[in-house]
Amino acid sequence: MNIIISNASSDPIYIQIMNQIRQSILSGELRAGDSLPSIRQLAKDLQVSVITTKRVYEELEKEKLIDSVVGKGCFVSGANKDFIREQRMKRLEEKMIEIIRESKDLSMSQQDLIDHLTLLFEEEQTT
């Protein structure tokens, strides 16, 4: 898991960290049962406050993306596959809305967009 903190970002550090861990879970890079670094280790690795990493883990636990086991650490949750799928679908829809807006800026019709998407989908299946 590679987390990059940007000082140029308008997002607070804990949001940057949380978003990157969430994305790693939702993308499948981190799988159910995978262990996460301890709160202290993550803080040390990222050179941030322990309070910051504690907040990240608490928020991810509220989202049911990770589970904390006293004395053992934090792990990617495997209990809620439907929730993770739903979150991934939500992210996909957000990207699709962005694509729709961009296609409108390019004066593409709905059918042009569908045709283009179909072509790309078919090309992707052959690779």
Side-chain angles (χ1 to χ4, degrees), residues 64-114:
K64 300 181 188 292
L65 291 174
I66 67 170
D67 296 315
S68 294
V69 179
V70 178
K72 300 214 181 218
C74 294
F75 301 87
V76 176
S77 178
N80 204 341
K81 292 180 183 176
D82 289 337
F83 175 78
I84 290 175
R85 185 178 193 289
E86 186 64 32
Q87 290 297 308
R88 291 183 72 184
M89 287 295 292
K90 182 179 173 188
R91 288 197 180 276
L92 179 61
E93 288 171 5
E94 289 169 357
K95 290 177 182 179
M96 292 172 92
I97 288 169
E98 186 179 327
I99 289 168
I100 290 167
R101 289 182 180 147
E102 185 72 22
S103 69
K104 285 180 179 180
D105 288 346
L106 293 169
S107 300
M108 292 175 72
S109 69
Q110 180 179 354
Q111 191 58 51
D112 288 341
L113 180 59
I114 291 169

Side-chain angles (χ1 to χ4, degrees), residues 35-46:
S35 65
L36 298 172
S38 71
I39 291 170
R40 291 187 195 290
Q41 185 61 53
L42 184 60
K44 181 180 174 188
D45 292 346
L46 299 177

Side-chain angles (χ1 to χ4, degrees), residues 37-64:
S38 71
I39 291 170
R40 291 187 195 290
Q41 185 61 53
L42 184 60
K44 181 180 174 188
D45 292 346
L46 299 177
Q47 297 180 346
V48 297
S49 165
V50 170
I51 295 167
T52 300
T53 54
K54 186 173 191 276
R55 184 171 183 188
V56 169
Y57 282 9
E58 286 172 350
E59 293 294 324
L60 291 170
E61 192 167 17
K62 283 180 193 173
E63 292 180 19
K64 300 181 188 292

